[in-house]
Amino acid sequence: MKKKLQGKVVWITGSSSGIGLETAYACARLGATLILTALEENLLEEACKKCKELGAGNAYALPFDLSKLDQVAELADKAWSLENKIDIFYNNAGISQRGTTIETEMSVINKVMNINYFAPVIMTKQILPRMVERGSGQLVVTTSINGRFGFPLRCAYSSSKHALYGFFETVQAEYYKQGIRVTIVCPGRVQTKISFYALEKDGKQHAKMDAGQAAGCTAQQAGRKIARAICKKKREVLVGRTELLMVYIKRFFPSLCAKIARSINPT
């Protein structure tokens, strides 16, 4: 297999499990040097070991809690300093939510927005100027089909993912001529623990796998597709199964999309 990412440094947040972990493994097979960030240091160390076994140039564990916004900029500086560059920065970490708009407490909305939106913005603002100075760099971000249309029980989650689209599409428009490329990853239903760790209206953990999530594509399938999209520097990549049709329905038949969204079982 051609090592398409040989010599490239790839930083992935939310990389201890799910899409982030499987994308890290796929990038490792392509020869990348990985920097892995998530909450669980022990899981990151295991992931780094496997990345090296799969062919990564090197792999670093950089554990961090992205809800600590006052320390996020320092985290980005530390990630850059590990190899004195980052070629590909994948903002994948995120948290979901289950609760109606009226019932969901503001503390939950704030936490979801901090982790899903503000943390990626702060880190990108630290990394982007250095990429521009070098004349190249790729920013990758996990949004969601919930970032393309509103969805029941996801007021905070859907809002955060809509916001990511606006921010990273703006970055692409502003810095494309300076060699910056943006890849937006838009997953539908993928078999990860995102619904298990989702926050309910009062901040408690949802603690169960949604039926729709369980029927989705595997994280391994998602990771491989994302790695291919990164190598090709695609502007956007849709990841999932038949639920992705909603993206096209929204584009061409927005009223029908709204009607379908109202009728879908959100769990």
Side-chain angles (χ1 to χ4, degrees):
M1 181 185 294
K2 185 178 179 181
K3 300 287 188 177
K4 295 182 179 179
L5 296 178
Q6 192 85 45
K8 301 291 185 182
V9 177
V10 182
W11 181 22
I12 306 176
T13 65
S15 47
S16 63
S17 64
I19 289 175
L21 178 61
E22 293 298 337
T23 302
Y25 289 162
C27 290
R29 293 185 183 96
L30 297 173
T33 289
L34 279 307
I35 302 170
L36 306 182
T37 293
L39 281 169
E40 309 91 340
E41 184 172 4
N42 61 323
L43 295 182
L44 290 178
E45 293 291 352
E46 292 173 10
C48 285
K49 181 179 178 181
K50 185 169 181 179
C51 282
K52 293 174 184 177
E53 292 171 354
L54 291 172
N58 203 348
Y60 302 91
L62 190 59
F64 190 78
D65 179 355
L66 291 178
S67 68
K68 298 178 179 178
L69 290 187
D70 60 333
Q71 300 174 38
V72 167
E74 183 180 345
L75 170 72
D77 291 340
K78 188 172 182 179
W80 185 276
S81 69
L82 289 172
E83 288 281 335
N84 202 30
K85 70 169 185 173
I86 292 172
D87 298 287
I88 300 164
F89 177 26
Y90 184 7
N91 276 294
N92 170 69
I95 189 168
S96 193
Q97 164 251 343
R98 302 290 184 274
T100 65
T101 303
I102 290 176
E103 294 178 330
T104 300
E105 297 176 4
M106 275 306 305
S107 60
V108 173
I109 294 174
N110 287 335
K111 184 170 183 177
V112 171
M113 290 299 295
N114 285 345
I115 294 172
N116 291 7
Y117 178 68
F118 287 111
V121 168
I122 293 169
M123 291 185 289
T124 297
K125 283 178 63 62
Q126 288 294 111
I127 299 298
L128 179 59
R130 302 171 193 187
M131 287 183 167
V132 170
E133 186 177 357
R134 295 181 71 232
S136 67
Q138 185 174 2
L139 299 170
V140 187
V141 60
T142 295
T143 57
S144 169
I145 58 172
N146 291 154
R148 305 296 290 269
F149 55 89
F151 196 78
L153 306 187
R154 309 285 196 280
C155 61
Y157 182 71
S158 185
S159 297
S160 68
K161 297 302 184 177
H162 273 77
L164 287 174
Y165 262 100
F167 180 80
F168 282 95
E169 286 182 345
T170 298
V171 170
Q172 174 93 310
E174 290 176 338
Y175 297 101
Y176 189 90
K177 291 181 180 179
Q178 284 94 328
I180 305 303
R181 298 294 178 264
V182 172
T183 298
I184 296 177
V185 179
C186 181
R189 288 170 167 170
V190 182
Q191 295 174 27
T192 70
K193 294 182 179 179
I194 190 168
S195 63
F196 188 89
Y197 292 116
L199 302 179
E200 294 194 335
K201 61 185 180 181
D202 55 0
K204 292 180 181 178
Q205 199 175 88
H206 188 51
K208 62 182 178 180
M209 172 79 78
D210 290 345
Q213 195 103 42
C217 73
T218 67
Q220 186 178 59
Q221 290 170 329
R224 288 176 175 174
K225 187 170 186 179
I226 292 165
R228 289 195 296 270
I230 288 172
C231 289
K232 294 178 180 179
K233 297 184 178 179
K234 284 191 171 183
R235 186 188 65 82
E236 183 179 44
V237 55
L238 303 179
V239 179
R241 292 181 172 168
T242 56
E243 72 278 4
L244 298 177
L245 289 172
M246 283 291 284
V247 174
Y248 300 100
I249 294 172
K250 173 62 183 291
R251 183 180 302 168
F252 298 109
F253 308 102
S255 295
L256 176 60
C257 177
K259 183 177 182 180
I260 295 171
R262 292 194 295 268
S263 64
I264 291 177
N265 181 358
T267 59

